[in-house]
Each structure stands twice: as structure tokens, then as C-alpha cells.
Amino acid sequence: MRKYAIIGVGHVGATIAYTLVCKGIADELILIDTNAAKARAEQLDLQDAQARLDSRTIIKINDYHELDDTDILFVTSGNIHALDHASGNRWAEFEYTKQIVQDIAPKVKATKFNGVVIDTMNPCDAITHYFQRATGLSRQQVFGTGTFLDTARMQKVVAEAFNCDPKNISGYVYGEHGESQFSAWSTVQVNGIPITSLVDKYDLDLDALEAAARHGGWAVHSGKGYTSFAIATCAVKLSEAVFANARLACPVSAYSETFGTYVGQPAIIGKDGVESVTTLALTADEQAKFRNSADTIIEKFHAFDDVLSDQSVKKRQFASLKSDGC
């Protein structure tokens, strides 16, 4: 039995659920959402589709105890409207997603869940770290989609420049799933040829290609108000690598012992989650960008930690004043 669960059935969670059911990937699927009517509606809609599919998925809703024997848990909750006026800043969601983790982590921790967690929440690197710390699950078990999606966007824009299939573009985007990410051009190949050797011949502007990849998500968000298809596809692909013990080499948000934070980097994904992190020979400039991106995650993580802690103290003080009749 391949048992999946999704916490948060908004745009991304619902798309993951639809993909799992239509592709016959999940034998059993648990949908959890604070909006019980939404969870029930998604369950009914997916059940209505079953008579026209070649597979069958058992779908249950809003029962954390079902996580006891769940193999893969997707955490996809968030507040997409926090990004409406964020001007490309995924950190605008952190105040909300951190509160979500504070709510769901104890519930997950209270179960016997011992599977793999794939996080898509934003800011992906920081909130994945926060979720792992809050649940006590191992760093191997918990990872985020991170720059797996950004790498796909890089593959798309490079493929367009060369009029080839994106799958023929290899290489990695490193760092934050955010503004400090960067394309490690020393790792990128086009049809097996290093892209750095093609710059002059094809008059490439690597900075422009990198910017197009970095801002790809915001181009989608500005048109439909959210992103869903690409991130859901990335999440499902990673889950399939876990179930198949594929030892898939791909970039994800994994914990870095070097930097002390979750950050987008190449890793090997297998049955236990992050089997290992891959260290490639980056250029000196790329190494500096990688460290800068990791430092950015750490700095903002602690800055938000301080702000939220201060807000929490003020709320407790205010509640105390109210209880004293002031």
C-alpha cells in the first residue's frame, strides 16, 4: 500500500492530490485542512472521478491518526494572499506559515508517523527547517522542494534559448528558493555540452537567463494569483523517487552541515528521504553566492524569530492585563 497524506488542500495541495489519484500513484490518500468543507469537497470530487480512472484510491479526510502508517506526508499549507503585494518576497508568508507549523507540528508529533515529509510551504528553506525542528523528525526524513522547481525553470529558459527539450538541459540552481538563489552555470550542460563553452557562439546573456528563471514563479503568480502545476509536479516526482528508492540526483532544500541551515543543493533522494548531499566543485564565485544565500536564509530566519517572539510576548502581556481587569 502506498499511503500519502497532504496537510493543506489549497491550490498546491489539491493539485498534488489530483495528480496522485489520476496517475494511480496513491493507494490511499489522506487530506487534512482546517477548512473541513474544502477537504470534504476535494474528497468528493476525486471520488467522483474514480469510475473513469484505471486505478482506485481510498480517500479519507481530517484524521491525523491516519498518519500513523502514512509513507509520505506533503505539507502544503500557506497564505497565498500574503504574496499579493510582496514584490517577489516569499518571506512575506513566513509569519503565517510559521504559525501553521506551530499548530500542525504537535499534531503530527502526537502520531506514530515515521515516514518522509516533503514541504512546499514558503519561505521553503526556513519553514522546512522550522517544521523539522518542531516535529523532532530527522533531517533525513524532512526536506523541501526548494530549488528543484527553480532548476526546472532554469531548464525551461535555457531550452528556449537553444530550441531544445528542457530535459536535455542538466545542472542545478543552488541556494534559497527565493531572491538569493543562483544558477550554477559551471554545472549546466546543453545536450551534454557545457553551457559556458557555448556563450560566445550563441551570444548568450547568462545573467538575463538567470533572472528569467528566478522570476518565473512571479510571472505565473501575477497572471493567476498563485502557482500550482509545476510545484505539484516537482513534489510528486520527489515522492515517486522515495517510493521507488530511486536514489534520484536532484536539487532540494536539504540540511547543510556546512552552513547550519536548510538550503537548495544537489542531493540523493531515496526510500528514507535525503540519502546524502552531493558536493560539487563550484567556482569561487559560485561558492561565494552559495554562502551568501545560506547566510540570507539564516539571517532572515532569526530576524523573523525575534519579531514573532516579541509579538508573542506582547500578546501574553496584553492577555495578562486583560485578565487582571485592566
Side-chain angles (χ1 to χ4, degrees), residues 98-112:
K98 194 168 184 183
Q99 291 172 353
I100 289 169
V101 170
Q102 289 170 352
D103 175 59
I104 67 176
K107 297 173 184 176
V108 174
K109 197 171 182 178
T111 72
K112 297 177 183 177

Side-chain angles (χ1 to χ4, degrees), residues 125 128-129 132 138-139 142-143 253-256 261-264 297:
D125 308 283
T128 302
H129 194 173
Q132 179 271 321
S138 72
R139 292 166 180 166
V142 181
F143 64 94
S253 183
Y255 187 80
S256 167
T261 185
Y262 274 77
V263 63
I297 295 166

Side-chain angles (χ1 to χ4, degrees), residues 152-169 190 195 209:
R153 289 173 175 151
M154 177 274 289
Q155 289 173 285
K156 182 192 76 170
V157 298
V158 172
E160 288 174 346
F162 286 92
N163 191 29
C164 68
D165 193 299
K167 291 186 287 295
N168 291 354
I169 310 300
V190 180
I195 193 170
L209 292 176

Side-chain angles (χ1 to χ4, degrees), residues 36-100:
K38 178 67 159 63
R40 177 59 173 159
E42 297 295 359
Q43 178 192 37
L44 291 172
D45 207 4
L46 290 169
Q47 287 173 334
D48 289 344
Q50 302 262 344
R52 298 294 177 262
L53 299 175
D54 295 327
S55 57
R56 179 170 180 263
T57 304
I58 298 169
I59 304 169
K60 303 176 184 177
I61 61 171
N62 279 358
D63 186 351
Y64 272 89
H65 290 295
E66 287 289 344
L67 298 184
D68 286 352
D69 58 348
T70 289
D71 300 293
I72 295 176
L73 169 62
F74 295 104
V75 185
T76 65
S77 302
N79 180 0
I80 193 64
H81 296 297
L83 304 179
D84 289 346
H85 306 290
S87 301
N89 179 19
R90 291 179 178 88
W91 287 89
E93 248 190 305
F94 195 33
E95 179 179 349
Y96 302 96
T97 51
K98 194 168 184 183
Q99 291 172 353
I100 289 169

